[in-house]
Amino acid sequence: MRYNTTASPETAARRGLLDSLLGRCEDGAWIEPPFYCDGGANIHLGAGVFVNFNCVFLDGESITIGAGTLIGPAVQIYATAHPVNARKRIFEREGVPAYHTTAAPITIGRNVWIGGGAIILPGVCIGDNSTIGAGSVVTRSVPGDVFAAGNPCRVVRPL
């Protein structure tokens, strides 16, 4: 909340909050507020990464983003999920439902561009120099040097 309400992007206070929130934030990496995450400690940004405003990172597992990657507004990166089987999601303990989650790391390579509104699901790897089209839902890994888009996201052509 403090990061999202800090007045100016040039302030040392905002950079200090970002450095303390994330597991790793290399030189020149920046997240434009507002930004939402589970905890932040499992988020690792390489040098020069830019994350545009209104992004959500669920970091129940590691989210590693390579140097020079650009992430559009409203991108959602989910390293955490719920099982699809209802019996595995919910069980009764002393009369109160408890919810189980699963998690798998996400790795995004160097110099990747992820268009606005894309959703990246648990366990996905995106290779270096690839572009993910706006609004895509990335359910499987994407190799390097390709343009991929759609729901579900698929390789459209090499770059």
Side-chain angles (χ1 to χ4, degrees), residues 10-157:
E10 288 79 30
T11 65
R14 184 175 280 171
R15 181 59 196 207
L17 288 168
L18 188 59
D19 288 339
S20 67
L21 175 66
L22 304 181
R24 186 181 85 238
C25 186
E26 294 184 11
D27 288 345
W30 187 254
I31 298 175
E32 192 63 30
F35 172 70
Y36 306 96
C37 65
D38 278 343
N42 290 325
I43 300 170
H44 309 282
L45 305 181
V49 168
F50 178 77
V51 178
N52 214 326
F53 66 92
N54 218 28
C55 289
V56 176
F57 290 13
L58 300 184
D59 61 311
E61 251 296 350
S62 66
I63 297 172
T64 303
I65 302 173
T69 289
L70 305 173
I71 297 177
V75 168
Q76 301 167 63
I77 300 178
Y78 300 150
T80 305
H82 294 281
V84 294
N85 182 314
R87 290 180 189 184
K88 291 181 180 180
R89 276 195 310 268
I90 303 170
F91 71 94
E92 297 292 325
R93 184 185 328 143
E94 300 174 3
V96 177
Y99 300 92
H100 294 281
T101 60
T102 60
I106 294 173
T107 302
I108 298 170
R110 300 170 58 88
N111 303 311
V112 171
W113 166 245
I114 299 175
I119 299 172
I120 315 295
L121 296 182
V124 165
C125 294
I126 298 173
D128 294 345
N129 308 311
S130 284
T131 297
I132 305 299
S136 295
V137 178
V138 186
T139 61
R140 296 184 190 138
S141 293
V142 174
D145 298 297
V146 299
F147 171 67
N151 180 5
C153 187
R154 68 190 184 295
V155 173
V156 175
R157 68 176 190 274

